[in-house]
């Protein structure tokens, strides 16, 4: 694309991460998404905002939830949505990535939603294509739409983000959700506590603007929100933590541990949950305290808002293809 | 010999091995240094080259150069690496054995030597593998390999992880006074790590390599050196902790030496920002405090040599997500300019820097060269020490263009390089 069109209210051609977004960018996306929440509860959910646009969901890592959320978001906005799952072979992963990018680019998509197992892979791909790129998760780096939907969930329930204290608990080291949430919540004036065993806390977490805790009681003190992260199977069995039962004993969120947080604290989880590993069903399924289902609903609304914001910045937006 | 006599006049003659730094004349007779200094009698019939105040330095000895020959000639051949070397004032390259096949047999050392003689325009001194196949298990035939021309023993970019293998290798090498060269990186501690462990790695979502991955190997090996009496060298160190460890070991008289790459003296981990895979190195670029500690280590002699760590990688190997990308940077052509840039930035003294790429590597490897004393082979470079230029990876002579210092401003331009009295490079 040669002629660069001036950017709109949301002044970014791609959404590669929360890093680089300003308070007004984030507020703009959350406000737009908020409107879509009501819209999505109507019978007629279809709009024509992306009519004629082609959206490709390119997933190098398998995902059902995120991929279907993006698919639904695109379809409700009237785009043609295509899903591509590329089984990442052990060898030549990167070659597949750039080759696939070149191939897809030749099909003239407008929006490319990408998930990849390597940190930075989506940014690398974005350099090689001429459409708008949305990061749907890259390695342990960022998952910006997850952080946005979490923020929208919190904002709708508590009316604000600023001044809140949010605990993120679990495998912080390997979590892109934790990173994006930390960046967003910091930017919006919330305080973040990272909680987990030392083996799952990343180096330099405190320099990134969070307080790190290995003790759940201390970490949860005064928290308005408790975000639990999924613990991957391969991290257990002696590699980084000795066993599931020890992990659950120390960090599994049940009603007792939740009582360490602020009275009335709410619980979130990006899914899919390991019940009985990082979270107890009694907590996860209690509609009084669990926001987990709200998160899924907000996911579609947030992705609609992001898709629309990026489409508005496409070079040929509002006119014919040049 | 022809008896050809040439005088390089009006030159700033710098040779750390003779503590020489003065304006004068270098006289070459029969490919050797016949006289050097401010009061040299120039014979009447000799060819005179006026250096117009440029510096003459002993040709550099780069103690760590990876090529792709044999096996991966698309990355680099001995010929192309030697052209890059010549353009950078490097007159001797010490090549690494982790090629395909691995240089772990006398016949393969012989192959490298012959290929170098036939195709390379600078001197090539091969290191041979320390263990067969560089697999870390069984030591190679140090005696036969040395006779074939191997100058030291290393597993290249892999650490010898087994302490018993290392003990035996150091012990056996002591028979020959052979130098054992370690890539100090504990593979278990490195695990999936691809860059310096810390805040930046966390922000980028990349697995980190702790400084301890380097120091645990060095600490272990130093104990083994004390046990065996072997000669031990670490190819590159990267952290402040390693500098401190080696400084202390040298103080108590342990036979240890070490190197650092010019890139590690110039850059720090911030160059990895935006997943820049050209700055993905092993050992990794670390904090600015580490870089400053490395500079101090060079200044006080804790660090013996500066290398390029020249490691050519093709575009496909580097144009990958960071974790998948290959390690390494090209550097033999910019080694001298990098060091001179550090000198001009007042970070290091000129004689100290030059000793690290001339006199010291020659001493460690038992090579002739690295100096311009009377009788030495006429290996030297004519250099404008201050001329600024901008590194452009695409115009470097290496077959690969993965330069970590691409687009950086450097100072110091090589105008000509001579090996054995013959010009192998002239700036056009």
């Amino acid at each position: 694309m040669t002629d660069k069109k001036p950017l709109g209210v949301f002044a970014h051609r791609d959404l590669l991460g929360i890093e680089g977004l300003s308070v007004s960018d984030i507020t703009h996306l959350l406000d737009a998404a908020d409107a879509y929440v009501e819209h999505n509860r109507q019978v007629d959910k279809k709009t024509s905002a992306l009519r004629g646009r082609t959206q490709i969901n390119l997933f190098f890592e398998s995902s059902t939830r995120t991929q279907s959320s993006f698919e639904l978001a695109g379809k409700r906005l009237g785009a043609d949505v295509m899903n591509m799952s590329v089984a990442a072979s052990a060898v030549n992963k990167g070659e597949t990535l750039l080759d696939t990018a070149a191939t897809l680019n030749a099909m003239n998509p407008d929006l490319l939603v990408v998930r990849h197992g390597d940190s930075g892979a989506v940014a690398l791909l974005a350099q090689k294509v001429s459409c708008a790129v949305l990061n749907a998760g890259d390695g342990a780096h960022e998952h910006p739409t997850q952080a946005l939907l979490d923020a929208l969930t919190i904002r709708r329930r508590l009316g604000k983000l600023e001044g809140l204290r949010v605990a993120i608990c679990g495998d912080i080291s390997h979590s892109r959700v934790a990173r994006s949430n930390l960046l967003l919540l910091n930017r919006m004036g919330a305080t973040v506590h990272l909680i987990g065993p030392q083996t799952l806390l990343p180096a330099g977490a405190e320099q990134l603007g969070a307080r790190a805790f290995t003790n759940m009681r201390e970490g949860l003190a005064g928290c308005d929100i408790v975000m639990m992260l999924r613990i991957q199977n391969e991290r257990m069995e002696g590699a980084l933590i000795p066993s599931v039962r020890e992990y659950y004993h120390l960090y599994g969120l049940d009603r007792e541990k939740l009582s360490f947080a602020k009275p009335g604290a709410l619980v979130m989880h990006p899914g899919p949950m390991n019940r009985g590993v990082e979270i107890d069903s009694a907590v996860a399924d209690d509609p009084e305290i669990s926001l987990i289902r709200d998160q899924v609903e907000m996911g579609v609304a947030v992705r609609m808002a992001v898709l629309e914001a990026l489409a508005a910045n496409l070079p040929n937006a509002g006119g014919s293809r040049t | 010999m022809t008896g050809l006599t040439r005088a390089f006049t009006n030159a700033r003659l710098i040779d750390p091995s003779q503590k020489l730094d003065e304006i004068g004349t270098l006289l070459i007779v029969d490919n050797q240094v016949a006289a050097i200094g401010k009061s040299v009698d120039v014979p009447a019939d000799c060819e005179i080259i006026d250096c117009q105040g440029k510096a003459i330095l002993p040709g550099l000895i780069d103690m760590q150069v990876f090529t792709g020959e044999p096996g991966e000639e698309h990355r680099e051949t001995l010929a192309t690496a030697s052209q890059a070397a010549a353009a950078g004032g490097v007159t001797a390259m010490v090549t690494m054995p982790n090629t395909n096949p691995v240089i772990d047999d006398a016949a393969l050392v012989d192959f490298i030597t012959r290929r170098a003689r036939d195709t390379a325009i600078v001197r090539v001194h091969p290191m041979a593998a320390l263990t067969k196949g560089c697999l870390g298990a069984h030591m190679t035939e140090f005696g036969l390999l040395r006779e074939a021309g191997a100058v030291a023993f290393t597993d290249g970019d892999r650490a010898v992880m087994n302490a018993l293998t290392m003990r035996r290798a150091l012990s056996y090498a002591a028979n020959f006074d052979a130098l054992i060269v370690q890539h100090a990186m504990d593979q278990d501690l490195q695990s999936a790590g691809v860059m310096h462990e810390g805040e930046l790695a966390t922000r980028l979502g990349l697995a980190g390599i702790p400084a301890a991955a380097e120091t645990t190997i060095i600490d272990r090996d130093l104990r083994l050196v004390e046990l065996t009496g072997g000669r031990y060298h670490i190819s590159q160190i990267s952290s402040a902790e390693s500098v401190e460890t080696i400084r202390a070991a040298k103080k108590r008289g342990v036979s240890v030496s070490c190197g650092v790459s010019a890139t590690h003296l110039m850059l720090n981990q911030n160059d990895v920002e935006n997943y820049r895979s050209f700055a993905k190195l092993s050992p990794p670029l670390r904090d600015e405090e580490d870089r400053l500690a490395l500079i101090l280590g060079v200044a006080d002699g804790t660090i013996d040599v500066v290398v390029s760590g020249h490691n050519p990688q093709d575009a496909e190997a580097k144009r990958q997500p960071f974790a998948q990308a290959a390690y390494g940077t090209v550097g033999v052509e910019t080694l001298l300019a990098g060091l001179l840039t550090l000198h001009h930035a007042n970070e290091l003294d000129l004689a100290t820097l030059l000793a690290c790429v001339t006199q010291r590597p020659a001493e460690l490897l038992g090579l002739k060269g690295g100096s311009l004393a009377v009788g030495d082979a006429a290996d030297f470079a004519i250099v404008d020490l201050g001329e600024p230029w901008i590194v452009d990876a695409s115009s470097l002579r290496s077959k690969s263009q993965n330069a970590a210092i691409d687009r950086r401003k450097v100072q110091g331009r090589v105008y000509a390089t001579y090996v054995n009295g013959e010009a192998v490079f002239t700036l056009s």
Side-chain angles (χ1 to χ4, degrees):
Chain A
M1 301 282 160
T2 46
D3 60 327
K4 295 272 182 199
K5 166 177 175 295
L7 299 172
V9 189
F10 181 75
H12 303 272
R13 292 187 192 278
D14 305 307
L15 179 68
L16 300 177
I18 297 297
E19 192 166 28
L21 296 189
S22 65
V23 171
S24 64
D25 289 331
I26 293 166
T27 307
H28 170 76
L29 291 176
L30 294 180
D31 290 346
D34 216 345
Y36 276 121
V37 176
E38 307 312 324
H39 172 87
N40 284 339
R41 289 174 180 168
Q42 302 173 125
V43 175
D44 183 3
K45 301 173 180 64
K46 201 97 171 171
T47 78
S48 56
L50 294 189
R51 198 156 60 103
R53 294 292 188 192
T54 302
Q55 172 190 336
I56 299 180
N57 298 333
L58 177 60
F59 279 62
F60 292 88
E61 254 186 7
S62 64
S63 151
T64 37
R65 306 161 67 97
T66 306
Q67 185 169 335
S68 47
S69 182
F70 269 111
E71 182 176 358
L72 207 50
K75 283 180 171 165
R76 284 187 182 164
L77 293 170
D80 294 320
V81 184
M82 185 179 84
N83 289 316
M84 274 191 72
S85 296
V86 184
S89 68
V91 282
N92 289 338
K93 258 189 211 171
E95 200 171 60
T96 310
L97 171 71
L98 291 187
D99 286 350
T100 311
T103 307
L104 291 179
N105 197 43
M107 295 179 192
N108 294 322
D110 301 291
L111 296 146
L112 198 53
V113 178
V114 187
R115 169 169 289 191
H116 196 282
D118 283 315
S119 300
V122 179
L124 179 67
L125 185 142
Q127 295 165 12
K128 309 289 172 189
V129 297
S130 44
C131 58
V133 175
L134 265 108
N135 183 358
D138 64 323
H141 178 223
E142 283 232 41
H143 190 358
T145 57
Q146 179 71 43
L148 288 163
L149 75 88
D150 287 341
L152 182 61
T153 308
I154 298 169
R155 203 180 76 165
R156 281 178 65 93
R157 184 64 76 100
L158 298 178
K160 60 172 184 178
L161 294 166
E162 197 178 350
L164 295 179
R165 189 177 289 189
V166 180
I168 306 177
C169 184
D171 184 0
I172 313 294
S173 273
H174 302 89
S175 175
R176 52 193 173 217
V177 175
R179 278 170 185 69
S180 288
N181 264 308
L182 171 58
L183 290 167
L184 187 149
L185 291 165
N186 266 344
R187 182 75 29 99
M188 301 306 282
T191 305
V192 178
H193 289 186
L194 301 175
I195 309 171
Q198 194 74 56
T199 46
L200 298 180
L201 288 173
E206 308 236 333
Q207 288 156 282
L208 296 176
R211 291 188 64 194
F213 297 87
T214 53
N215 180 295
M216 196 122 173
R217 181 189 284 266
E218 290 167 16
L220 289 181
C223 286
D224 302 276
I225 299 283
V226 183
M227 284 187 186
M228 300 305 296
L229 298 174
R230 177 181 168 79
I231 180 110
Q232 306 281 342
N233 285 320
E234 62 266 28
R235 316 268 184 247
M236 292 183 263
E237 289 149 12
L240 290 164
I241 49 174
S243 70
V244 171
R245 68 177 185 182
E246 175 147 319
Y247 186 78
Y248 185 72
H249 175 68
L250 294 171
Y251 299 102
L253 188 69
D254 54 16
R255 285 192 191 276
E256 193 208 336
K257 292 204 192 72
L258 185 60
S259 72
F260 304 151
K262 202 171 180 176
L266 300 165
V267 175
M268 302 174 74
H269 193 297
M273 285 181 282
N274 290 312
R275 292 166 184 271
V277 178
E278 73 260 356
I279 192 164
D280 183 49
S281 287
V283 173
D285 298 335
D286 183 344
E288 295 292 309
I289 53 174
S290 170
L291 296 175
I292 296 169
R293 272 188 221 162
D294 298 25
Q295 287 174 274
V296 179
E297 184 185 6
M298 297 310 131
V300 180
V302 155
R303 285 162 185 136
M304 288 170 78
V306 172
L307 287 167
E308 188 176 19
L310 291 179
N313 289 334
L314 287 167
N316 51 6
S320 61
R321 193 169 277 279
T322 48
Chain B
M1 286 298 149
T2 56
L4 181 68
T5 302
R6 270 174 296 175
F8 295 82
T9 61
N10 194 19
R12 180 177 168 190
L13 304 161
I14 308 175
D15 181 359
S17 75
Q18 306 179 70
K19 302 207 179 335
L20 181 75
D21 187 349
E22 62 190 25
I23 305 288
T25 299
L26 172 69
L27 188 69
I28 305 293
V29 180
D30 284 348
N31 313 325
Q32 288 182 343
V33 177
I36 184 167
K38 56 187 163 211
S39 47
V40 167
D41 292 327
V42 177
D45 60 341
C46 104
E47 183 188 347
I48 291 174
I49 295 125
D50 182 353
C51 294
Q52 299 172 325
K54 292 191 186 67
I56 287 185
L57 319 173
L60 272 58
I61 300 171
D62 187 344
M63 204 167 145
Q64 195 188 34
V65 174
F66 296 87
T67 78
E69 188 166 358
E72 291 187 29
E73 286 83 357
H74 66 282
R75 284 168 50 205
E76 191 87 290
T77 61
L78 290 165
T80 54
S82 74
Q83 282 150 19
V90 174
T91 55
M93 310 188 287
V94 178
T95 55
M96 295 296 109
N98 52 316
T99 46
N100 183 15
V102 165
I103 309 304
D104 59 1
D105 187 283
L108 291 162
V109 173
D110 191 52
F111 168 81
I112 297 288
T113 313
R114 283 163 187 270
R115 282 295 289 172
R117 184 195 63 200
D118 294 346
T119 65
I121 58 172
V122 304
R123 297 177 199 272
V124 173
H125 301 290
M127 279 195 202
L130 177 57
T131 64
K132 287 184 181 128
C134 292
L135 295 173
H138 307 287
M139 69 175 126
T140 54
E141 299 160 315
F142 298 166
L144 293 173
L145 290 163
R146 268 171 73 80
E147 282 174 29
V151 294
F153 301 91
T154 181
D155 279 353
D157 58 1
R158 279 167 93 158
V160 175
M161 285 292 292
N162 187 306
L164 181 58
T165 305
M166 196 60 180
R167 177 193 176 171
R168 286 173 175 162
L170 282 164
S171 194
Y172 189 71
N175 291 339
F176 310 95
D177 200 29
L179 186 67
I180 296 295
V181 179
Q182 176 74 294
H183 178 73
M185 172 77 76
D186 187 303
Q187 292 157 17
D188 297 323
L189 280 174
Q190 177 182 14
S191 186
V194 291
M195 69 172 287
H196 177 59
E197 182 172 283
E199 180 212 336
L200 182 60
T202 295
R203 190 152 56 74
L204 293 173
L206 295 170
I209 304 172
E214 186 168 290
T215 43
T216 50
I217 292 288
I218 296 174
D219 280 332
R220 180 201 74 178
D221 288 350
L222 289 174
R223 296 292 165 195
L224 298 174
V225 171
E226 289 178 272
L227 185 67
T228 58
R231 282 175 64 217
Y232 175 70
H233 177 84
I234 302 136
S235 55
Q236 287 188 28
I237 61 170
S238 66
S239 72
E241 290 89 332
S242 297
V243 176
E244 200 37 63
T245 300
I246 291 161
R247 188 175 285 138
K250 284 189 165 180
K251 208 166 267 175
R252 60 174 198 271
V254 184
S255 167
V256 57
S257 57
C258 69
V260 66
S261 91
T263 313
H264 285 78
L265 295 177
M266 297 177 79
L267 308 183
N268 63 30
Q269 62 162 349
N270 292 332
D271 287 271
V272 172
E273 195 75 66
N274 298 320
Y275 301 98
R276 194 165 164 265
S277 64
F278 278 13
K280 181 179 177 182
L281 306 177
S282 179
L285 294 169
R286 297 194 186 274
D287 265 338
E288 177 64 5
E289 293 91 82
D290 292 300
R291 188 187 76 84
L292 294 172
L294 293 169
I295 297 266
L296 285 177
V298 172
D300 74 2
T302 301
I303 297 175
D304 301 85
V305 298
V306 180
V307 300
S308 70
H310 184 78
N311 193 350
Q313 299 289 351
D314 56 82
E316 279 64 41
K318 281 287 189 184
R319 239 180 25 197
Q320 301 262 15
F322 194 87
Q324 309 284 336
Y327 286 96
T329 175
V330 293
V332 69
E333 192 170 338
T334 54
L335 173 61
L336 178 60
L339 294 186
L340 291 172
T341 306
L342 288 166
H343 165 64
H344 291 299
N346 292 320
E347 297 205 78
L348 279 165
D349 159 69
L350 185 59
T352 306
L353 272 176
L354 291 177
C356 289
V357 285
T358 55
Q359 182 191 1
R360 289 297 290 138
E363 287 167 358
L364 285 174
L365 297 168
L367 298 174
K368 289 184 190 139
S371 80
L372 288 174
V374 173
D376 282 340
D379 293 0
F380 61 96
I382 302 175
V383 181
D384 183 325
L385 296 175
E387 186 176 324
W389 56 289
I390 292 169
V391 177
D392 173 10
S394 63
S395 66
L396 295 177
R397 282 144 185 93
S398 174
K399 261 196 179 181
S400 298
Q401 302 178 348
N402 55 308
I405 61 165
D406 190 22
R407 292 193 291 278
R408 281 179 84 95
K409 220 171 121 183
V410 292
Q411 268 179 286
R413 179 73 103 170
V414 176
Y415 273 73
T417 303
Y418 288 76
V419 173
N420 216 27
E422 304 293 334
V424 292
F425 168 77
T426 313
L427 187 68
S428 49

